[in-house]
Amino acid sequence: MPEMLFQIRWPDGATEQCYSPSLVIKDHLEVGTTYDVAEFMRRSRTALMIASDRVREKYGFACSRAMGQLAKLEASAQRFEASSNAGVTITSFHE
């Protein structure tokens, strides 16, 4: 199963390298696009759950690394809940 990394920039300018166990993330996020935090999290949650399910189908267990990545994104996103104009930019994909 091809895994990939994707780079994001949070509203405060901090960058983060994120992990997906599947290329499905490319179906939900686009490089160069800025999503409001809630939309970014909705898309990330969907993609990482699909990716984890694909691992489960192939190996018989969910991808704990994908779930860990999702938990980390959820925690980081909480910092920006009060900011109505906050956006997360997808800066790159690395296969």
Side-chain angles (χ1 to χ4, degrees):
M1 185 163 288
E3 62 184 12
M4 69 174 305
L5 301 174
F6 58 105
Q7 186 87 19
I8 63 171
R9 184 173 51 249
W10 289 103
D12 63 0
T15 60
E16 183 173 345
Q17 184 168 279
C18 305
Y19 170 82
S20 174
S22 168
L23 301 180
V24 72
I25 198 79
K26 292 172 120 180
D27 295 339
H28 297 273
L29 299 173
E30 186 175 333
V31 172
T33 301
T34 300
Y35 302 94
D36 67 58
V37 174
E39 179 66 9
F40 167 74
M41 288 309 305
R42 185 189 68 74
R43 289 170 176 264
S44 296
R45 194 175 298 112
T46 298
L48 290 170
M49 293 300 292
I50 291 169
S52 183
D53 288 346
R54 287 181 179 180
V55 170
R56 182 188 324 271
E57 288 172 17
K58 185 168 184 174
Y59 299 106
F61 52 87
C63 180
S64 60
R65 191 168 171 198
M67 294 300 89
Q69 179 64 71
L70 180 56
K72 187 174 179 185
L73 290 173
E74 296 275 8
S76 294
Q78 288 180 358
R79 299 181 310 194
F80 307 105
E81 283 181 347
S83 303
S84 60
N85 295 334
V88 179
T89 302
I90 312 307
T91 58
S92 62
F93 290 133
H94 305 279
E95 293 182 40

